[in-house]
Amino acid sequence: MSPRLLLSALALMGLGIAPPSWAREPAPKPAPGASSPRPPVDTSKDTTAVRHRVTAAEAPRHIIAGGKGRATLFLNEGTGATAASLTLLELQPGGEVPEHTHDASVEILYIEEGAADMTVSGQTLRVSKGDAVYIPAGAKHSARVITPGAPFKAVQVYAGPGPEQRFTQGPRETTPHGK
């Protein structure tokens, strides 16, 4: 999928179109030791104004991966995008994302630069520029940048949003939305 098509699809999701019923129904209980599922989104009471455009200067950027990466949060519930989120991930050589799951969210990555070894549901994949990666909800996954001397950059989409909020635990590098 081209980045332009992906962004167009996400723009439609942010136009107030209700998420599908499966995204509003409660998620099944997690397996022992798995992270808790994200509560369903109630769009009937959502008073957040939808932002149809968020510039790179406005999007909050957080330090991640033990200082070896950044996550720029463009679209999420804070911008009124209730059906999905969009983040730009940047990891330096040697940067890693430890194994984890997103029980109630599908993750999609489009690799813009660099290469990484990813493990998804026990399968190791070499991903690089131009590749797209689909990670089903509940699938264990991890990544390790393998590009020497060059960063790894990927556009990350969560449908339903929520897992991107873990990035806000890292120090903020910029202020949110130009404030």
Side-chain angles (χ1 to χ4, degrees), residues 36-122:
S36 299
R38 183 179 139 351
V41 175
D42 181 359
T43 57
S44 65
K45 298 176 186 173
D46 187 7
T47 58
T48 304
V50 175
R51 298 194 54 192
H52 299 286
R53 176 178 176 252
V54 177
T55 67
E58 296 170 320
R61 186 168 53 187
H62 293 271
I63 304 296
I64 62 169
K68 288 196 169 213
R70 292 178 176 81
T72 306
L73 284 68
F74 282 92
L75 304 173
N76 53 57
E77 290 177 335
T79 61
T82 58
S85 70
L86 184 133
T87 300
L88 176 63
L89 292 179
E90 302 172 84
L91 295 170
Q92 296 304 313
E96 294 187 33
V97 176
E99 184 176 81
H100 63 286
T101 63
H102 311 293
D103 294 323
S105 299
V106 167
E107 181 175 350
I108 299 168
L109 296 166
Y110 176 78
I111 315 306
E112 289 190 328
E113 291 181 31
D117 282 339
M118 293 189 71
T119 301
V120 180
S121 298

Side-chain angles (χ1 to χ4, degrees), residues 126-149:
R126 172 83 32 106
V127 300
S128 59
K129 183 177 181 173
D131 291 346
V133 180
Y134 173 75
I135 303 168
K140 289 183 180 181
H141 58 285
S142 62
R144 182 177 54 83
V145 177
I146 60 164
T147 316

